[in-house]
Amino acid sequence: MIMASKASVKPSFETTAWRFMRYSGILLIPLAWFHVYLQDVIVGVHAIDIDYVAVRLADTGWVIYNFLLLGFAFAHGMYGLRQVMFDLVHKESTRRVLSILMLIFWLVVTAIGATALAMGARPELVQ
Amino acid sequence: MAAPSTPLKNTVKGYATYMGREGHYAFLLHRLTGLGVLLFLTIHILDTATVYFYPSLYEHAIELYRATPFMLGEIGLLFAVIYHGVNGLRIAVTDMWMPKRWAIEKQRKAVRLTLVVAILLWTPGALVMLYNLLLHNFGVDLLAMLPFGK
Ligand code: HEM
Ligand code: HEM
Ligand code: HEM
């Protein structure tokens, strides 16, 4: 008899990450596309300045939106970078060192971005 | 004697010489656009963070994005985000809900379709950005030049 093909094995980190790439990607379609179309096409870089950002970051809804974008886009991109690195580097120890460096880089940049989002812009400090 | 082969060399050689046609080009373009958007995003998170950490610097950063080469880059960035998304959707949907469609002929058609969809979604935005670029950086107002005026 042929057994069912679905065995219940605890999914490994890589399996969860593989799923995360797909679900986060689908979520990024509305999040990233709307953001870029809004900021770069409708508003445009000539209309963006610190006062514009200050107004937007005073709005809880946009702050939440930006948090989601920061969390999903950067995690997705950094995990993607790790995949590319695994294609280029096959030595286990090098892979581990580079993975840890990428993890630290991801955490530091995310923390910087999240701090700015949480604290908001400070146009009053511009000299 | 030939130089020893390394995973790095093998992979790059594979990228250049593997002839998987549509699937191969889609893979390269997906990788290139993904890495390109990630590079932009890293810089973008840091320059946006100056609104809190170093407000005086923010204007200078935005000033850069207004320069002509950067604005051309942003038109490319828009294509990258859209193409990567459409193609990523093809991969994700096929993997998770219709793995039977991982057949060469079906995917060849799907790959061509992703490119057409991406170009259709990109064109309106690209035209608006080109209009803004000519207006702000060259003083050319394309809309005012239309015969029926503005
Ligand atoms: C717009 C919606 C997006 C969708 C639907 C999407 C989808 C995907 C999928 C499904 C993969 C896995 C490909 C595979 O395993 O074969 C992937 C890889 C990747 N994505 Fe995205 N993604 C999106 C946005 C982004 C953004 C905003 C970034 C940059 C921050 C990004 C960077 C990457 C990178 C670097 C990879 C790895 C490329 C590779 O392995 O060749 N993606 N994406
Ligand atoms: C050139 C095109 C773009 C422009 C003009 C632009 C503009 C902006 C502006 C003005 C902000 C400040 C916050 C706000 O106003 O809500 C912001 C934040 C942000 N953008 Fe963009 N954006 C662009 C492209 C992108 C892309 C392609 C992505 C990702 C795929 C992205 C991801 C983010 C994230 C994550 C934040 C929050 C940053 C933080 O944590 O401080 N942006 N963007
Ligand atoms: C003996 C070696 C290989 C065989 C027999 C093989 C076979 C195939 C076949 C039949 C396809 C479908 C073609 C299509 O969609 O047009 C395919 C797709 C693909 N192959 Fe290979 N391949 C080989 C090596 C490689 C290598 C070395 C790479 C990476 C450098 C690679 C990456 C891919 C990718 C990314 C796709 C497309 C998947 C997608 O559409 O997302 N293959 N391969």
Side-chain angles (χ1 to χ4, degrees):
Chain A
M1 210 184 82
I2 297 167
M3 297 304 292
S5 60
K6 274 200 179 153
S8 51
V9 182
K10 192 172 169 292
S12 69
F13 167 73
E14 301 299 335
T15 309
T16 312
W18 184 87
R19 285 219 187 83
F20 171 77
M21 283 308 272
R22 276 138 190 85
Y23 286 118
S24 65
I26 292 171
L27 187 71
L28 280 170
I29 290 186
L31 277 178
W33 285 7
F34 183 73
H35 177 81
V36 182
Y37 250 96
L38 176 73
Q39 305 283 32
D40 214 5
V41 179
I42 299 170
V43 177
V45 280
H46 285 271
I48 293 175
D49 57 20
I50 193 163
D51 296 316
Y52 168 84
V53 178
V55 170
R56 281 175 52 84
L57 293 190
D59 183 322
T60 317
W62 285 119
V63 172
I64 293 172
Y65 187 104
N66 284 344
F67 263 116
L68 290 174
L69 191 57
L70 173 67
F72 283 105
F74 199 50
H76 173 102
M78 285 304 289
Y79 185 76
L81 181 65
R82 180 168 171 271
Q83 285 301 315
V84 177
M85 183 272 284
F86 269 53
D87 274 5
L88 301 176
V89 177
H90 292 182
K91 208 171 142 212
E92 203 49 57
S93 54
T94 318
R95 279 182 172 185
R96 192 165 307 134
V97 171
L98 289 177
S99 292
I100 291 170
L101 287 179
M102 284 178 189
L103 181 69
I104 295 171
F105 183 76
W106 172 63
L107 287 173
V108 170
V109 174
T110 302
I112 293 173
T115 308
L117 287 180
M119 306 303 286
R122 296 190 291 181
E124 68 279 6
L125 293 190
V126 176
Q127 304 124 11
Chain B
M1 206 181 84
S5 105
T6 65
L8 182 66
K9 262 195 224 156
N10 273 342
T11 313
V12 174
K13 197 167 153 226
Y15 284 178
T17 57
Y18 170 62
M19 293 196 273
R21 290 188 28 191
E22 283 86 341
H24 183 210
Y25 303 131
F27 162 76
L28 286 181
L29 206 51
H30 192 76
R31 197 151 258 202
L32 215 70
T33 52
L35 292 176
V37 177
L38 178 64
L39 177 67
F40 169 83
L41 179 61
T42 307
I43 299 167
H44 183 54
I45 292 171
L46 296 175
D47 72 54
T48 300
T50 62
V51 298
Y52 171 73
F53 289 104
Y54 200 159
S56 299
L57 209 59
Y58 189 69
E59 279 305 307
H60 296 285
I62 285 292
E63 203 68 52
L64 269 180
Y65 287 106
R66 292 177 186 156
T68 302
F70 277 77
M71 288 188 78
L72 289 173
E74 286 153 32
I75 299 179
L77 176 72
L78 184 68
F79 179 78
V81 176
I82 290 176
Y83 176 79
H84 184 93
V86 176
N87 190 57
L89 190 66
R90 172 183 68 86
I91 298 173
V93 168
T94 315
D95 274 350
M96 293 194 298
W97 295 295
M98 43 187 85
K100 286 208 175 67
R101 289 192 66 91
W102 279 128
I104 299 178
E105 279 313 320
K106 287 193 172 123
Q107 285 306 314
R108 285 209 167 132
K109 287 207 191 83
V111 163
R112 288 203 205 104
L113 185 66
T114 54
L115 198 59
V116 172
V117 171
I119 290 174
L120 286 178
L121 291 173
W122 171 63
T123 308
L127 289 177
V128 174
M129 290 167 88
L130 197 63
Y131 169 76
N132 280 333
L133 171 64
L134 290 175
L135 181 69
H136 291 289
N137 292 12
F138 298 95
V140 177
D141 187 344
L142 283 184
L143 279 182
M145 287 161 77
L146 290 174
F148 38 88
K150 208 160 82 153

